[in-house]
Amino acid sequence: PLVTIDLTTAARTLIGSAMNGTQSNGLTFTPGGTLYMAGPNDPGVLYSVNVSTGAVTSVATFSSVPLNFGAINAMASDANGLLYATGRTSGAQLVTIDPITAIMTSMGVLSFGEADALAFQFAPIPEPATYAVLLGVGALGLAIWRRRK
């Protein structure tokens, strides 16, 4: 089932019942807030999950699957919403997955072996106001420098 977990008390709250009994092999959020799930077969189907109701919607069946990829072992999203996954029987192969078409593209074999988790660290992108402040500070510094000349 899909649940939320209170980070203070560790209490879980069930979200709907649509996912009850649903098997999955990978679960990840995109930066845009879409929750994707892969599974349950080899290679399976890409689903989106409604985080309010737990309802599961099929996006597409995986295609262009590498030879011997098997079921998805781990899945994550990059900062642009492109999905990445590793396979269970693929010899630790890493693939990208188009979140609209579920087309897989092989990236190669992981040098350290099979991965059962993937995560990305996103670099913060400054807001436009930050650039305005930096530009203002730069202009002020230039004015002070010219005044001293």
Side-chain angles (χ1 to χ4, degrees):
L2 185 63
V3 299
T4 59
I5 298 173
D6 183 305
L7 297 179
T8 305
T9 66
R12 75 177 194 152
T13 302
L14 185 67
I15 299 176
S17 60
M19 286 186 64
N20 286 351
T22 302
Q23 295 178 348
S24 69
N25 301 324
L27 194 65
T28 188
F29 275 102
T30 62
T34 302
L35 179 60
Y36 286 102
M37 178 179 81
N41 303 321
D42 298 349
V45 176
L46 181 65
Y47 298 95
S48 63
V49 181
N50 182 310
V51 295
S52 298
T53 65
V56 177
T57 303
S58 175
V59 173
T61 300
F62 291 115
S63 62
S64 299
V65 180
L67 185 64
N68 297 322
F69 188 79
I72 286 181
N73 205 34
M75 189 166 65
S77 170
D78 70 9
N80 298 313
L82 182 63
L83 304 176
Y84 289 78
T86 60
R88 284 208 176 126
T89 58
S90 65
Q93 195 159 166
L94 178 68
V95 298
T96 61
I97 302 170
D98 182 300
I100 296 170
T101 63
I103 294 173
M104 290 184 176
T105 303
S106 178
M107 301 296 293
V109 175
L110 299 172
S111 62
F112 53 84
E114 187 176 298
D116 62 359
L118 292 174
F120 293 96
Q121 181 177 7
F122 303 122
I125 300 171
E127 295 290 324
T130 304
Y131 291 115
V133 168
L134 292 174
L135 184 60
V137 169
L140 181 61
L142 181 60
I144 291 171
W145 177 76
R146 289 184 118 192
R147 200 173 216 198
R148 287 186 180 176
K149 259 183 142 182

